[in-house]
Amino acid sequence: MGWSLTAWSRFLRLAALLSLLPPERVAAQVLGSPLDCRNTCVCASNIVSCSRKNLSAIPTALPQYTAVLDLSYNAIARIRAEWTSVRLSRLHTLLLSHNGLTFLSSESFVCVTKLRYLDLSSNGLRILDELIFEPLEHLEVLLLYNNQISQIDRTAFSGLYSLQRLYLSQNQISRFPLELVKERSRLETLQLLDVSANKIKWLPLAELQTLPAWIRNGLYFHRNPLPCSCQLYDVVARWRLKGMSSVTDYSSDHTCVLPGAQKERMAVLDLNKIYMNCTEVSLVDEESYLDQFLVLDCDTKQRNMRKSWLLPGNIPVPPAHKTAEMLPGGHLQIGPLRAEHTGVYTCYAVSETYNETLYVNVMVYNTTMSGGMENLKTAYTTLVACLVSVVMVLVYLYLTPCACCPGQDLEKSEAEDSAHSSKASIAAAHSDMGEGEAKDFAYRHMGFPQIKDQLEQNGRLKPIGEEDEEWQEESKERRGSAGSVSSVCSDTPMVL
């Protein structure tokens, strides 16, 4: 399709304007003009500053001794592989913020491998390709905040073995880069990761809780659309109690989204009061039992600090202490534990620029772990025995067979039947035997009725000497027709 008259008119007009410019001016718009330290840039020793000069390309012919190159606040939209024709082996700071950058070549940093500080903030970057920063093995600070980044390859930051601070806030990131801080895959020197003000809707909270304090202290994730939950509250509240800068510095900015169509936001630290009634977080001290070994961790906010411990009573740990030993990494092992090990242990952490003091309150229970289990088993056994006893008593009281004599009124109470069961059996024996046999039988069993009769009359014991007389009278009555079974069963019940 041919051009319209309007398009041809615009092209001719542009060609006419370009013809009025000098040839070197046109080349500068594409390849960049040679460095001009008099009119365009300021060159001071090993510093080259071309800030706010409306440049659309990086100047060429930069001196090899350049250590700081400031190209901020220009109009440089693309960084090509050939932006410098010489290797800048001394360049350690490159400033490219506020340029409208939308493209980075995969070979953009091949000639500046000694960079330690790279500022790409406030541009229009959308994608970070794989291994884009791999040549920068000495880079310590990388600023990428306030871009349009929505895609980050998992290998984008591979090779950054010296990186300490990474700023990714105010972008369109929806996935938390856990591989940067997770054990085995993390950047070993990374101390600060800022992913605040993005579009992250999920955080690996369980993994974040296990991170060392020196990583958590510099992990900023506020101002993300995280859903409200008690687990999120637990993380934020614990980090605040521990004094983590990532929470204490931005306490009011840690918000979450309530469920519902309104998508209302509320402060995470208020979830225990207003909406979800989450359990309030409190720091738990170390608890243990006798004869155990306990390892105390001096979990500092800075890495590679010199650590020392004081025992309860501010007693230093001697080299040959019997129950306390310093372990590699600054840990303190105590044990086998005794009750006197209860108390506050103090850890002093010192570096060239930072001091920190941590306190660990240890509680040693005055029992062994096995002893505690045995006590629990004994209590359980006692409870079961009590329940069995109660059941046996109920069975005895309510399930005992009726022993009432034949021909008697079955409306007699169970108490009466039980009280006179022995009397009924003796009377029946008298009726079946002869008089001589009955007399002999009575004397063979005289121990039983003697004790029984002593307990009658509401428990009063009869005077000594009256037992034989009464027993003889009672035997005569039983041999008579009036001393039948019916008279025995209708006798007054025993009162115990």
Side-chain angles (χ1 to χ4, degrees), residues 321-339:
H321 198 278
K322 295 182 179 179
T323 59
E325 178 185 2
M326 285 284 294
L327 301 179
H331 306 296
L332 178 67
Q333 177 179 283
I334 54 177
L337 293 175
R338 295 289 180 266

Side-chain angles (χ1 to χ4, degrees), residues 235-404:
V235 170
V236 176
R238 287 183 184 278
W239 290 19
R240 184 184 63 169
L241 289 176
K242 286 285 189 179
M244 302 299 171
S245 300
S246 53
V247 174
T248 57
D249 293 349
Y250 293 91
S251 181
S252 60
D253 289 329
H254 278 276
T255 59
C256 59
V257 180
L258 294 173
Q262 302 297 328
K263 302 295 182 183
E264 296 182 7
R265 288 178 174 265
M266 73 172 302
V268 174
L269 293 174
D270 288 338
L271 290 178
N272 67 321
K273 304 173 183 176
I274 302 175
Y275 182 74
M276 292 187 171
N277 196 26
C278 300
T279 302
E280 189 170 355
V281 172
S282 59
L283 297 180
V284 180
D285 297 328
E286 296 287 349
E287 298 179 347
S288 190
Y289 296 87
L290 296 179
D291 296 331
Q292 287 187 323
F293 284 84
L294 186 64
V295 177
L296 306 182
D297 186 13
C298 189
D299 196 10
T300 57
K301 302 174 189 175
Q302 298 290 330
R303 197 181 186 188
N304 299 326
M305 302 184 71
R306 299 185 301 274
K307 301 174 183 179
S308 60
W309 286 86
L310 292 181
L311 304 178
N314 294 328
I315 302 173
V317 181
H321 198 278
K322 295 182 179 179
T323 59
E325 178 185 2
M326 285 284 294
L327 301 179
H331 306 296
L332 178 67
Q333 177 179 283
I334 54 177
L337 293 175
R338 295 289 180 266
E340 56 268 20
H341 288 136
T342 297
V344 178
Y345 292 74
T346 307
C347 176
Y348 292 104
V350 181
S351 67
E352 296 180 357
T353 59
Y354 187 77
N355 294 336
E356 186 174 355
T357 303
L358 297 178
Y359 301 96
V360 182
N361 189 15
V362 175
M363 171 63 70
V364 180
Y365 292 109
N366 195 19
T367 181
T368 61
M369 178 65 75
S370 59
M373 294 302 296
E374 290 174 358
N375 293 338
L376 180 61
K377 293 178 181 178
T378 302
Y380 176 77
T381 305
T382 304
L383 177 61
V384 172
C386 291
L387 293 177
V388 171
S389 300
V390 171
V391 171
M392 294 298 293
V393 171
L394 294 176
V395 168
Y396 176 77
L397 292 177
Y398 295 101
L399 298 182
T400 303
C402 180
C404 190

Side-chain angles (χ1 to χ4, degrees), residues 87-353:
R87 184 175 295 274
L88 303 177
S89 58
R90 298 184 184 180
L91 187 67
H92 61 72
T93 301
L94 178 58
L95 308 177
L96 286 164
S97 64
H98 297 88
N99 267 284
L101 274 173
T102 57
F103 174 77
L104 289 176
S105 170
S106 59
E107 300 179 355
S108 296
F109 308 106
V110 172
C111 295
V112 289
T113 58
K114 301 295 183 180
L115 275 181
R116 296 199 302 270
Y117 189 98
L118 176 59
D119 187 358
L120 296 170
S121 63
S122 300
N123 283 293
L125 298 174
R126 295 179 180 275
I127 300 175
L128 297 180
D129 293 326
E130 59 180 348
L131 305 175
I132 185 69
F133 302 110
E134 185 183 27
L136 304 178
E137 59 180 347
H138 300 285
L139 191 66
E140 298 175 357
V141 180
L142 177 57
L143 285 74
L144 289 164
Y145 63 85
N146 195 26
N147 275 275
Q148 302 296 321
I149 300 173
S150 59
Q151 298 182 32
I152 302 178
D153 189 88
R154 292 181 180 270
T155 64
F157 304 106
S158 298
L160 299 178
Y161 304 117
S162 303
L163 191 64
Q164 299 177 11
R165 290 178 285 170
L166 176 58
Y167 298 86
L168 290 167
S169 62
Q170 301 181 56
N171 278 285
Q172 305 296 318
I173 301 171
S174 59
R175 182 187 70 86
F176 180 81
L178 181 62
E179 65 275 2
L180 297 180
V181 294
K182 189 177 180 180
E183 191 174 5
R184 296 183 180 179
S185 65
R186 67 180 175 221
L187 301 176
E188 288 298 329
T189 58
L190 189 65
Q191 301 177 7
L192 186 147
L193 174 61
D194 187 356
V195 291
S196 61
N198 276 280
K199 296 185 178 299
I200 300 174
K201 296 182 179 181
W202 178 82
L203 284 178
L205 297 174
E207 287 85 352
L208 297 184
Q209 282 283 56
T210 62
L211 295 176
W214 59 269
I215 293 182
R216 287 179 287 150
N217 188 59
L219 185 55
Y220 296 82
F221 57 85
H222 55 278
R223 293 177 58 194
N224 275 286
L226 299 170
C228 293
S229 68
C230 287
Q231 190 177 11
L232 176 63
Y233 165 78
D234 186 79
V235 170
V236 176
R238 287 183 184 278
W239 290 19
R240 184 184 63 169
L241 289 176
K242 286 285 189 179
M244 302 299 171
S245 300
S246 53
V247 174
T248 57
D249 293 349
Y250 293 91
S251 181
S252 60
D253 289 329
H254 278 276
T255 59
C256 59
V257 180
L258 294 173
Q262 302 297 328
K263 302 295 182 183
E264 296 182 7
R265 288 178 174 265
M266 73 172 302
V268 174
L269 293 174
D270 288 338
L271 290 178
N272 67 321
K273 304 173 183 176
I274 302 175
Y275 182 74
M276 292 187 171
N277 196 26
C278 300
T279 302
E280 189 170 355
V281 172
S282 59
L283 297 180
V284 180
D285 297 328
E286 296 287 349
E287 298 179 347
S288 190
Y289 296 87
L290 296 179
D291 296 331
Q292 287 187 323
F293 284 84
L294 186 64
V295 177
L296 306 182
D297 186 13
C298 189
D299 196 10
T300 57
K301 302 174 189 175
Q302 298 290 330
R303 197 181 186 188
N304 299 326
M305 302 184 71
R306 299 185 301 274
K307 301 174 183 179
S308 60
W309 286 86
L310 292 181
L311 304 178
N314 294 328
I315 302 173
V317 181
H321 198 278
K322 295 182 179 179
T323 59
E325 178 185 2
M326 285 284 294
L327 301 179
H331 306 296
L332 178 67
Q333 177 179 283
I334 54 177
L337 293 175
R338 295 289 180 266
E340 56 268 20
H341 288 136
T342 297
V344 178
Y345 292 74
T346 307
C347 176
Y348 292 104
V350 181
S351 67
E352 296 180 357
T353 59

